[in-house]
């Protein structure tokens, strides 16, 4: 991962936001390469899911033919949207703060998601003595007790165990039944939620953590001049709600009938407590969401269709099968309204081996969203919203009261559509494709010596630069011909012209940027107007007529 992060900075894929001021946690900027990569990913999604979607035929796995269209809604919406969606009341993480170092943590991270290595790493930083014990093979409980009573008080005064050493030692002795404690066992004991004085220590300093409390993830702002409660507004935490509240507008203004998918790409904001793992968990990020509206009787079939179709999309763009999994949620994991949810997860290199991180969720949402925006309350099976009351004791937030149901033009049946929601992260997708593309191999340098080559093996559709054009030398009319090619290709794709330095070095720079094709104008070009075209992955070079270059690159990119 360190190599990928370094490459992203070096080659202009990703920069920390406001870097010259020391950066701001959870915000990232895309550089010249990154902006193209992310745009290509979003374009591939829009093209494949919406624009080029075949709405005339029944696609394999689909119950029937369907339509797709898109919208672009605002980031700030009526606050009632968030009340009815449930975000105002329910969209929070449990958070714990450390009494000692004052840092904030997500409670679930402290309680288990923090891996042993992360925990040891943070302890190492702050409690050197303690980790020396961890590195010892085993030690007697008495030894541990002496360490706690004497040294630990100085080096880790906030460590939860120190506040009740007898209680802690009793648990240790019970757990190891008179034997010695291995380093792993000790960490497990400290890391397991045994309660009481053995409550989990702060992952940063080993200090006492306050009890978990709710922390809403929506960024709050105000519209207009007055910062009053009436003017309170929120930055959207998902693009989905813009689609639900426009469902009726789309149906009324178009000739679409159900089944219909409405898509949106846009920024979302979440005040994540612990943004981390590069762009994986950011506070500002982009989503690519589809809300697919269908008849309730068919919704389970559509759920399976979308789950499989979305999985295949990542594979088609070059993700390796062994790094991607489709994980169906257990019933206990499902949101209260959900009939089924599956996550598409990727083996990000910052995760321990065998662990996967979510790229996209595909959720069967039943009629929860449209019904909530109609009625503002949930049926008995669903969890009630904490409705705020106004000064007359009436609910302050209600549903829109608008009829968002659908009448089938052929059968005349009226129903509230069910929704299947494939919800993907554009930044997480970009990060996954960056990780997937990173490759090191051996290739000859300009002197014929084998060297390690860093190559970003992006799918040609995703590659930021599609082709680079080089004159072999900067004389003899070669630059003029190379520029002619460059200008012809530039009308169609992002291409790059480079005449500086040894040609081998120029190839390497393009390999590192993930450019699939390099075109070189050489001595022979001057005689017969042919050029070489080099393939990034196979390193194969073939000669082709320079006048057919636009067709050739087009053909290769479509493959
Ligand atoms: N409308 C449903 C929804 O928003 P989600 O699982 O919360 O579902 C969908 O988000 C996708 O958005 C995730 O799979 C992930 O790719 C992306 N995402 C969510 N939170 C993110 C964050 N803090 N940073 C980057 N991407 C995020």
């Amino acid at each position: 991962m360190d190599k990928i992060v370094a490459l992203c900075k070096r080659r202009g894929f990703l920069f920390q936001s406001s870097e010259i001021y020391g950066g701001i946690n959870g915000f990232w900027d895309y550089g010249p390469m990154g902006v193209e990569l992310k745009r290509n990913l979003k374009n591939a999604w829009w093209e494949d899911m919406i624009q080029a979607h075949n709405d005339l035929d029944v696609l394999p796995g689909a119950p029937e033919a369907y339509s797709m269209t898109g919208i672009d809604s605002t980031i700030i919406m009526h606050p009632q949207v968030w009340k009815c969606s449930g975000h105002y009341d329910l969209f929070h993480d449990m958070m714990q703060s450390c009494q000692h170092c004052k840092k904030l943590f997500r409670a679930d991270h402290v309680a288990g998601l923090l891996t042993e290595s992360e925990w040891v790493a943070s302890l190492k930083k702050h409690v050197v003595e303690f980790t020396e014990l961890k590195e010892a093979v085993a030690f007697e409980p008495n030894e541990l007790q002496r360490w706690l009573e004497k040294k630990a008080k100085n080096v880790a005064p906030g460590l939860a165990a120190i506040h009740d050493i007898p209680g802690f030692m009793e648990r240790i002795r019970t757990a190891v039944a008179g034997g010695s404690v291995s380093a792993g066992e000790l960490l497990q004991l400290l890391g397991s939620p045994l309660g009481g004085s053995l409550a989990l220590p702060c992952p940063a300093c080993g200090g006492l953590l306050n009890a978990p409390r709710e922390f809403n993830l929506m960024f709050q702002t105000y519209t207009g001049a007055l910062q009053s409660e009436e003017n309170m507004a929120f930055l959207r935490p998902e693009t989905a709600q813009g689609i639900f509240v426009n469902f009726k507008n789309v149906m009324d203004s178009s000739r679409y009938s159900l089944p219909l998918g409405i898509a949106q790409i846009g920024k979302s904001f979440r005040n994540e407590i612990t943004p981390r793992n590069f762009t994986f968990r950011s506070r500002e990020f982009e989503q690519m969401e589809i809300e697919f509206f269908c008849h309730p009787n068919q919704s389970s079939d559509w759920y399976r269709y979308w789950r499989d179709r979305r999985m295949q999309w990542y594979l088609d763009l070059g993700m390796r099968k062994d790094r991607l999994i489709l994980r169906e949620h257990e019933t206990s994991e499902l949101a209260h309204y959900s009939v089924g949810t599956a996550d598409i997860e990727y083996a990000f290199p910052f995760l321990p081996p065998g662990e996967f991180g979510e790229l996209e969720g595909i959720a069967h949402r039943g009629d929860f969203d449209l019904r909530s925006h109609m009625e503002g309350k949930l049926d008995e099976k669903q969890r009630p919203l904490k409705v705020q009351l106004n000064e007359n004791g009436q609910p302050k937030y209600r549903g829109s009261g608008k009829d968002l149901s659908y009448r089938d033009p052929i059968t005349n049946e009226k129903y509230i559509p069910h929704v299947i929601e494939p919800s993907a992260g554009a930044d997480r997708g970009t990060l996954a494709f960056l990780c997937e593309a990173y490759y090191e191999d051996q290739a000859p340098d300009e002197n014929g010596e084998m060297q390690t080559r860093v190559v970003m093996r992006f799918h040609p559709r995703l590659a930021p630069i599609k082709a680079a054009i080089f004159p072999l030398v900067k004389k003899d009319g070669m630059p003029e011909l190379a520029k002619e090619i460059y200008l012809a290709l530039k009308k169609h794709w992002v291409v790059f012209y480079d005449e500086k330095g040894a040609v081998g070095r120029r190839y390497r720079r393009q390999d590192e940027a993930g450019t699939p094709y390099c075109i070189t104008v050489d001595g022979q070009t001057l005689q017969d107007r042919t050029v070489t075209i080099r393939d990034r992955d196979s390193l194969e070079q073939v000669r082709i007529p320079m006048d057919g270059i636009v067709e050739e690159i087009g053909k290769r990119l479509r493959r």
Side-chain angles (χ1 to χ4, degrees):
M1 196 63 211
D2 290 346
K3 285 182 178 177
I4 294 169
V5 172
L7 181 135
C8 282
K9 168 104 202 269
R10 190 171 70 243
R11 296 311 312 264
F13 283 97
L14 277 160
F15 308 126
Q16 202 184 3
S17 167
S18 325
E19 196 186 78
I20 59 167
Y21 289 103
I24 169 166
N25 201 8
F27 297 87
W28 296 91
D29 295 338
Y30 286 81
M33 287 292 134
V35 72
E36 295 295 342
L37 175 64
K38 184 168 156 188
R39 199 163 58 92
N40 289 341
L41 184 73
K42 291 188 287 182
N43 285 350
W45 184 86
W46 193 271
E47 243 170 71
D48 296 345
M49 296 299 123
I50 297 117
Q51 175 239 310
H53 160 70
N54 174 358
D55 54 355
L56 301 178
D57 295 320
V58 179
L59 300 181
E64 58 179 303
Y66 65 93
S67 308
M68 293 294 297
T69 189
I71 63 158
D72 185 10
S73 68
T74 59
I75 285 169
I76 292 180
M77 299 164 75
H78 194 292
Q80 193 169 339
V81 170
W82 307 112
K83 183 72 190 175
C84 291
S85 70
H87 287 86
Y88 182 79
D89 295 308
L90 303 172
F91 192 54
H92 49 65
D93 276 344
M94 298 307 280
M95 185 192 76
Q96 288 186 273
S97 59
C98 175
Q99 292 178 10
H100 188 60
C101 69
K102 312 287 180 225
K103 287 200 170 130
L104 291 178
F105 301 94
R106 262 172 64 171
D108 58 346
H109 284 174
V110 180
L113 289 184
L114 201 66
T115 64
E116 182 177 314
S117 56
E118 284 170 320
W119 204 71
V120 171
S122 63
L123 279 172
K124 261 209 168 100
K125 234 168 57 201
H126 299 277
V127 195
V128 178
E129 286 269 341
F130 184 83
T131 44
E132 276 167 16
L133 286 175
K134 149 78 185 163
E135 276 153 17
V137 179
F139 50 90
E140 296 298 316
N142 292 344
E143 198 188 332
L144 173 63
Q145 185 161 354
R146 273 198 301 279
W147 181 79
L148 283 171
E149 284 168 349
K150 294 204 170 111
K151 290 195 172 173
K153 280 184 180 161
N154 295 327
V155 292
L159 196 68
I162 291 171
H163 292 261
D164 179 16
I165 296 173
F168 176 75
M169 288 313 303
E170 198 184 313
R171 282 164 214 263
I172 291 266
R173 288 195 172 97
T174 314
V176 299
S180 57
V181 190
S182 74
E185 274 170 334
L186 175 62
L187 271 176
Q188 239 178 17
L189 282 167
L190 284 167
S192 59
L194 299 179
S197 64
L198 269 190
L200 293 171
C202 164
C205 76
L208 268 183
L209 291 174
N210 288 318
R213 61 189 158 92
E214 283 181 5
F215 174 78
N216 196 293
L217 298 181
M218 280 197 294
F219 277 104
Q220 197 177 306
T221 185
Y222 295 91
T223 53
L226 283 182
Q227 298 207 346
S228 59
E229 208 186 323
E230 295 82 70
N231 291 342
M232 200 158 76
F234 303 94
L235 305 193
R236 68 180 175 201
E238 60 170 25
T239 57
Q241 296 305 321
I243 301 178
F244 294 126
V245 301
N246 277 301
F247 172 68
K248 201 169 156 47
N249 281 338
V250 173
M251 297 316 288
D252 289 350
S253 62
S254 66
R255 291 167 59 84
Y256 291 116
S257 53
L258 299 195
L260 168 71
I262 307 180
Q264 162 152 243
I265 298 180
K267 290 267 186 176
S268 292
F269 301 81
R270 296 182 190 178
N271 197 2
E272 299 282 358
I273 298 166
T274 45
R276 58 188 192 159
N277 290 334
F278 212 8
T279 59
F280 182 81
R281 192 179 302 286
S282 309
R283 290 180 167 144
E284 174 176 341
F285 55 95
E286 248 180 308
Q287 289 185 308
M288 310 186 290
E289 296 201 290
I290 296 170
E291 305 303 327
F292 187 80
F293 300 90
C294 61
H295 192 285
N297 291 349
Q298 277 188 332
S299 55
S300 295
D301 292 340
W302 281 116
Y303 165 66
R304 282 188 287 276
Y305 168 76
W306 276 108
R307 187 195 58 188
D308 299 345
R309 173 138 201 243
R310 292 300 306 144
M311 179 76 175
Q312 191 57 44
W313 187 75
Y314 289 99
L315 296 173
D316 290 346
L317 282 175
M319 291 232 163
R320 274 165 296 175
K321 263 203 169 107
D322 58 329
R323 297 183 140 246
L324 205 61
I325 55 164
L326 187 66
R327 189 178 70 81
E328 283 282 353
H329 284 206
E330 305 285 331
T331 318
S332 59
E333 276 183 275
L334 293 179
H336 52 98
Y337 47 77
S338 185
V339 179
T341 296
D343 285 344
I344 297 173
E345 298 181 341
Y346 178 72
F348 285 99
F350 50 76
L351 296 171
E355 283 188 26
F356 293 79
E358 180 187 326
L359 269 185
E360 168 162 354
I362 299 99
H364 183 309
R365 299 183 60 91
D367 66 4
F368 172 78
D369 305 277
L370 288 180
R371 188 180 284 283
S372 300
H373 286 301
M374 278 171 74
E375 301 170 357
K377 64 184 171 60
L378 314 173
D379 68 30
E380 306 92 70
K381 285 197 278 0
Q382 295 162 337
R383 190 133 59 113
L385 295 171
K386 279 187 249 155
V387 178
Q388 284 193 348
L389 301 183
N390 65 16
E391 51 288 357
N392 304 322
Q394 300 299 315
K396 194 169 170 190
Y397 291 96
R398 299 179 310 278
S400 63
K402 298 278 186 313
D403 183 3
L404 303 181
S405 60
Y406 172 74
R407 189 178 288 284
D408 189 294
I410 298 168
T411 64
N412 213 25
E413 184 190 358
K414 192 170 182 231
Y415 59 89
I416 302 179
H418 272 200
V419 169
I420 311 301
E421 178 190 67
S423 171
D427 303 271
R428 275 201 200 165
T430 304
L431 181 61
F433 279 107
L434 272 166
C435 296
E436 184 70 18
Y438 188 91
Y439 205 79
E440 287 177 5
D441 66 8
Q442 299 290 315
D445 65 10
E446 49 270 36
N447 306 318
E449 308 229 331
M450 294 307 269
Q451 300 284 355
T452 299
R453 172 180 84 130
V454 173
V455 50
M456 296 299 280
R457 289 188 162 172
F458 294 120
H459 188 287
R461 283 180 80 188
L462 300 183
I465 299 173
K466 305 301 183 199
I469 303 97
F470 310 145
L472 185 64
V473 288
K474 223 168 120 183
K475 57 182 184 185
D476 302 337
M478 288 184 207
E480 287 73 11
L481 287 179
K483 283 175 188 168
E484 194 183 312
I485 295 171
Y486 168 70
L487 291 176
L489 290 172
K490 203 174 188 313
K491 290 192 188 129
H492 305 271
W493 303 284
V494 175
V495 291
F496 189 75
Y497 174 80
D498 190 3
E499 57 182 22
K500 289 188 216 93
V503 76
R505 211 162 297 145
R506 284 181 263 166
Y507 282 144
R508 258 153 218 279
R509 279 190 62 77
Q510 292 307 316
D511 289 341
E512 223 187 32
T515 307
Y517 308 111
C518 289
I519 298 152
T520 305
V521 169
D522 55 15
Q524 197 174 324
T525 316
L526 305 175
Q527 290 158 20
D528 62 6
R529 284 180 76 83
T530 62
V531 289
T532 62
I533 176 161
R534 169 192 182 264
D535 183 287
R536 175 196 69 199
D537 300 334
S538 67
L539 297 177
E540 191 189 44
Q541 294 201 30
V542 290
R543 281 205 93 81
I544 57 155
M546 110 176 209
D547 299 312
I549 198 77
V550 172
E551 289 71 31
E552 178 65 24
I553 294 292
K555 201 169 77 194
R556 288 179 180 232
L557 289 175
R558 278 193 296 277
R559 283 215 281 253

